[in-house]
Amino acid sequence: MLNKLSIKRKLLIYNVLIQGFILVIFSLSIYKTLQVSTIDKIESSLKVIILDIVDDILDHKNGLSTLDFDEEKEYKFKPLYIRLIETNKELKVLSPSYFPSSIPLPVAHIQSDTIHFVEHDNYICGEIKFIMKNKTYILQVATDYKILNHTMENLFYILLFIVPIILIFSIIGGYFLIYKSFAPIEKILFNLKNINATTLSERLKSSNNRDEISQLSNEINSLLQRLEISFDKINQFSSDASHELKTPLTIIRGEIEIALRKDRDSKEYKDTLNVCLDEILLIQQTIDDLLFLAKNENNKDVYKEDAYIDEITSDAIKELKPYAKLKNINIQSQIKDIFQIKGHSKLLKIAIKNILKNAISFSHENSDVIIKNYIEDDNFIISIEDKGIGIAQEEQTKIFEKFYRTDKSRNKESGGTGLGMAIVEKIISSHNGKIDLKSSENKGTTVKLIFTKNKF
């Protein structure tokens, strides 16, 4: 049942139950404490009266039958019942003053000169045994619980009146505190309901306080900022990906429609299929690159395995030699220093291959692409240099953006997707490295992958 209630109402119910429980325990404690205190007070008064009566008996020189017990008037203690009993052979009541019949005669073997208190029904009785002129006597002094009952009854009515009032004020106070405390949260919830995919730029108003509500608002604003950035990236990513996939699909569709307009010979069909195959391979490469970037978009791990850069560079050169031969490009390997870093060998080879493939694709025919490994100023450096068309100064800062192409026609001919350098930047940054690019138009480009020694 409580699970269906709001937190505010749950807290209010818990507050009522806890406050009620505390007040009941507190009332019972007061009631019991006052009861014990009143009984102690009655016993103390009876003790004083008993000792005074014993002194009067011991000082009385005439017969005990002439002794008049007037302590009730003397002490103004009502009601007071007194009985004197002789206990030599058998119990004999010497002072037959009115005494409650429900209080039995005392036990003869009680300890002498010590006051004992015994409770009988609605009475409390104090007894003392003493010796006078070789005779043993027991004095009983009793009173009823009227004083106690009257006191406890008054307390009961007081508590019965005060406890509900305290509980009501407690509920009102708890209600005020709970709803006052939840007011900022309700305001946050109201503002959050108005934030959707089209209004992610909106932020919650946050005070300069250092309380939990302010911290919550700041954290939600930080979350909204991250969501806005991610949402913008997804929108841009989807838009660019759709554009990149739409072009080859349009080409494939056009080639197929042209081929189906009339009967053609086998050579024309083969040409159409080759064009379609090239576009399909481009789509496949684009999808693979997109999946790689999506998978590693938030991956900032520093890899712990040993990556031997000379072996990775040699493998990259070996795998791209056929492509370089096709483009009439010569790859020169100049591995000056052999070194290793902590990293992911496969990913590093992908980065080197992407740069190397770009260098081959945009180099002039019969030119050289030079790849070097060396150590300089406590840095591990992989350098790839080409003598190609170069990159314009205004475009050099953009080539690491997804789907950006410096020369769309040339890039298209090379089978590029515009994702290669974005992948390189992602891999190198995940290895705590940096990329240094220098290029001049129609002179060539040099790309350096730099890893600082003290980070490995």
Side-chain angles (χ1 to χ4, degrees):
M1 185 67 179
L2 286 176
N3 292 333
K4 298 180 180 179
L5 298 177
S6 64
I7 295 178
K8 290 188 297 184
R9 292 184 178 178
K10 286 181 182 177
L11 289 176
L12 189 59
I13 291 173
Y14 293 149
N15 175 62
V16 173
L17 294 177
I18 293 172
Q19 293 289 347
F21 177 76
I22 292 173
L23 286 173
V24 169
I25 297 299
F26 180 71
S27 299
L28 291 176
S29 300
I30 292 177
Y31 190 90
K32 190 65 178 177
T33 302
L34 184 59
Q35 185 182 45
V36 172
S37 176
T38 305
I39 291 175
D40 288 341
K41 186 177 180 180
I42 293 173
E43 290 182 351
S44 297
S45 298
L46 290 178
K47 186 175 182 180
V48 172
I49 293 172
I50 290 171
L51 293 175
D52 184 56
I53 293 173
V54 171
D55 288 340
D56 288 345
I57 293 172
L58 294 175
D59 293 339
H60 193 70
K61 297 180 179 179
N62 299 325
L64 293 178
S65 58
T66 61
L67 185 63
D68 183 21
F69 299 107
D70 58 353
E71 275 70 20
E72 183 174 309
K73 295 178 181 179
E74 180 181 348
Y75 288 96
K76 297 181 181 179
F77 192 98
K78 294 182 180 181
L80 191 64
Y81 310 104
I82 303 171
R83 180 165 64 184
L84 182 60
I85 303 169
E86 184 179 345
T87 62
N88 286 327
K89 295 181 179 179
E90 58 182 13
L91 298 178
K92 180 182 178 181
V93 179
L94 299 179
S95 298
S97 62
Y98 175 74
F99 204 85
S101 59
S102 60
I103 300 178
L105 293 173
V107 180
H109 57 266
I110 63 174
Q111 187 176 355
S112 299
D113 300 324
T114 301
I115 298 175
H116 304 274
F117 288 98
V118 184
E119 295 182 14
H120 300 286
D121 296 334
N122 295 322
Y123 300 95
I124 180 169
C125 179
E127 303 174 343
I128 186 171
K129 183 179 181 180
F130 63 94
I131 300 173
M132 185 179 68
K133 296 180 181 181
N134 298 323
K135 291 184 180 181
T136 303
Y137 300 91
I138 294 178
L139 175 68
Q140 287 183 310
V141 178
T143 188
D144 58 24
Y145 283 116
K146 285 183 179 180
I147 298 176
L148 176 63
N149 293 339
H150 181 70
T151 302
M152 301 313 296
E153 185 178 355
N154 288 339
L155 177 62
F156 175 79
Y157 286 116
I158 291 172
L159 293 176
L160 192 63
F161 176 75
I162 291 179
V163 168
I165 294 177
I166 295 175
L167 188 59
I168 290 172
F169 277 105
S170 175
I171 293 171
I172 294 173
Y175 179 89
F176 175 78
L177 289 176
I178 291 170
Y179 278 79
K180 188 71 175 177
S181 300
F182 273 82
I185 297 178
E186 289 182 340
K187 187 176 180 181
I188 290 173
L189 292 175
F190 177 79
N191 292 332
L192 284 176
K193 289 178 182 178
N194 296 325
I195 298 177
N196 51 44
T198 59
T199 58
L200 276 176
S201 59
E202 294 185 7
R203 296 291 180 268
L204 300 175
K205 292 182 180 179
S206 177
S207 61
N208 295 324
N209 299 331
R210 296 184 179 180
D211 57 16
E212 290 76 4
I213 302 298
S214 180
Q215 292 177 13
L216 176 63
S217 298
N218 293 333
E219 289 301 322
I220 292 176
N221 285 336
S222 298
L223 175 62
L224 289 173
Q225 184 176 2
R226 294 194 296 271
L227 287 175
E228 183 183 9
I229 294 172
S230 299
F231 199 81
D232 290 342
K233 285 183 178 180
I234 290 172
N235 283 339
Q236 185 64 40
F237 189 80
S238 301
S239 176
D240 293 340
S242 298
H243 179 269
E244 292 300 318
L245 295 176
K246 183 178 179 180
T247 302
L249 287 173
T250 302
I251 294 172
I252 292 172
R253 178 180 176 180
E255 291 292 329
I256 293 174
E257 287 178 347
I258 292 172
L260 292 176
R261 284 178 183 174
K262 62 179 181 179
D263 292 337
R264 302 179 186 276
D265 57 31
S266 59
K267 183 179 181 303
E268 290 178 314
Y269 282 126
K270 284 183 179 180
D271 290 340
T272 299
L273 290 174
N274 283 329
V275 172
C276 292
L277 179 60
D278 289 341
E279 296 301 325
I280 289 172
L281 291 174
L282 179 61
I283 292 173
Q284 182 178 0
Q285 183 180 351
T286 301
I287 292 173
D288 289 342
D289 290 344
L290 289 172
L291 290 174
F292 175 85
L293 286 176
K295 181 179 179 181
N296 295 277
E297 184 68 30
N298 296 313
N299 184 10
K300 295 292 183 181
D301 294 337
V302 178
Y303 303 103
K304 299 300 182 183
E305 65 182 48
D306 290 330
Y308 298 91
I309 300 302
D310 56 314
E311 295 180 3
I312 294 171
T313 304
S314 298
D315 289 343
I317 294 171
K318 183 178 179 181
E319 292 178 13
L320 285 177
K321 268 190 175 180
Y323 180 71
K325 186 176 181 181
L326 183 66
K327 298 289 185 178
N328 295 319
I329 302 297
N330 179 45
I331 301 177
Q332 292 186 19
S333 175
Q334 298 180 6
I335 300 177
K336 181 180 178 181
D337 297 313
I338 297 175
F339 53 85
Q340 67 188 53
I341 64 174
K342 295 293 183 181
H344 194 289
S345 300
K346 184 177 179 181
L347 293 181
L348 288 169
K349 186 167 72 172
I350 290 173
I352 294 172
K353 284 178 64 178
N354 281 348
I355 299 174
L356 191 55
K357 184 179 179 182
N358 282 346
I360 295 170
S361 299
F362 299 115
S363 290
H364 299 298
E365 281 194 54
N366 301 315
S367 64
D368 295 331
V369 172
I370 303 171
I371 182 168
K372 302 177 183 177
N373 291 352
Y374 60 94
I375 300 175
E376 182 181 84
D377 297 331
D378 290 331
N379 291 321
F380 299 130
I381 299 175
I382 305 170
S383 173
I384 299 174
E385 179 184 356
D386 67 65
K387 305 296 180 182
I389 62 175
I391 304 172
Q393 185 69 33
E394 64 272 11
E395 293 182 326
Q396 291 180 17
T397 58
K398 301 178 181 178
I399 65 169
F400 298 105
E401 298 176 4
K402 297 171 188 175
F403 301 112
Y404 185 81
R405 292 174 178 150
T406 57
D407 188 325
K408 296 188 185 295
S409 61
R410 289 177 181 268
N411 200 287
K412 186 70 175 177
E413 291 172 3
S414 69
T417 64
L419 293 168
M421 293 306 290
I423 291 175
V424 170
E425 195 275 335
K426 181 64 185 175
I427 293 173
I428 300 305
S429 64
S430 69
H431 285 77
N432 294 320
K434 61 180 181 178
I435 303 173
D436 179 56
L437 185 145
K438 293 180 180 178
S439 182
S440 299
E441 288 188 89
N442 297 318
K443 290 185 179 181
T445 302
T446 300
V447 179
K448 292 181 181 179
L449 307 181
I450 303 172
F451 303 94
T452 303
K453 262 186 179 183
N454 58 19
K455 290 185 178 180
F456 300 97

